[in-house]
Amino acid sequence: GAGVSQSPSNKVTEKGKDVELRCDPISGHTALYWYRQRLGQGLEFLIYFQGNSAPDKSGLPSDRFSAERTGESVSTLTIQRTQQEDSAVYLCASSLGGGFENTIYFGEGSWLTVV
Amino acid sequence: SQKIEQNSEALNIQEGKTATLTCNYTNYSPAYLQWYRQDPGRGPVFLLLIRENEKEKRKERLKVTFDTTLKQSLFHITASQPADSATYLCALISGGYQKVTFGIGTKLQVIP
């Protein structure tokens, strides 16, 4: 596609339910990132995928959070047993590769509200 | 611990003036620094990248400086316009791969 696509764009879920957020990166981009942004706050790194290398999961806040990526395409971020503190926009981004100079392109985010 | 600091208070500036935003960092040795623009409800959009061995980079009305001694980057918008109103994020890239860490951002409001 033309840009990074995320779905759903908005999700309201009850506390304790599991949610899945999907990211379709730009075709050909081997690097994929997930960030979380709480209202009025900065971007918080969650996880990074680069090609077939082991992902950098150092930003995942708890074991309720996990992410998968199929090859160099779609990624899914899963939050189990959601809590109100998980309410945020979850941003996915991709870039051509792991080089420093590759521009990172962001999607519009998935807005998650836990009630 | 590693820290990126941007002025969290909003910056209000008159149209036509130069806006200057600051990004300070500690306990980092970044190879690259990037600036992004984020509009409300949207994902960040890349603006400029500057390497550690570059002092200054320009793109149209934008100018970025990078002082690795002071551990500071300045982001300037000349002849500012109301359409420049947004939150501007700085991001540091270090390490063996492109792990990008963002500052909290500074909200710029250009007043007509």
Side-chain angles (χ1 to χ4, degrees), chain A residues 38-75:
Chain A
R38 292 195 171 106
L39 193 63
Q41 302 297 311
L43 274 73
E44 179 186 355
F45 169 79
L46 296 178
I47 189 168
Y48 165 79
F49 295 91
Q50 170 52 41
N52 295 320
S53 302
D56 177 352
K57 303 180 180 181
S58 61
L60 293 178
S62 76
D63 59 8
R64 296 187 297 104
F65 287 73
S66 62
E68 300 290 333
R69 188 179 185 193
T70 307
E72 293 183 351
S73 60
V74 172
S75 175

Side-chain angles (χ1 to χ4, degrees), chain A residues 31 33 35 37 40-43 45 48 50 56 58-59 89 91 95 97-109 111, chain B residues 31-32 34 36 38 40-47 49 51 57 87 89 93-105:
Chain A
Y33 310 76
Y35 288 86
Q37 188 173 32
Q41 302 297 311
L43 274 73
F45 169 79
Y48 165 79
Q50 170 52 41
D56 177 352
S58 61
V89 59
L91 290 159
S95 68
F100 292 127
E101 300 200 30
N102 290 312
T103 299
I104 298 170
Y105 296 87
F106 280 85
E108 299 292 58
W111 293 76
Chain B
Y32 295 81
Q34 297 178 336
Y36 289 77
Q38 187 174 25
R42 310 295 299 274
V45 175
F46 171 80
L47 295 175
L49 173 147
R51 302 176 187 83
K57 198 80 167 280
T87 296
L89 310 170
I93 301 95
S94 59
Y97 62 84
Q98 198 178 17
K99 180 172 179 176
V100 186
T101 306
F102 286 83
I104 193 170

Side-chain angles (χ1 to χ4, degrees), chain A residues 2 18 21 28 30 53 56 59 76 82 88-90 100 105 113:
Chain A
D18 297 352
L21 308 176
T30 61
S53 302
D56 177 352
T76 303
T82 52
V89 59
Y90 289 83
F100 292 127
Y105 296 87
T113 304

Side-chain angles (χ1 to χ4, degrees), chain B residues 12-19 79-82 108-112:
Chain B
N12 295 321
I13 193 162
Q14 204 69 35
E15 181 178 5
K17 301 290 187 184
T18 296
S80 58
Q81 304 166 0
L108 172 67
Q109 186 76 32
V110 180
I111 304 162

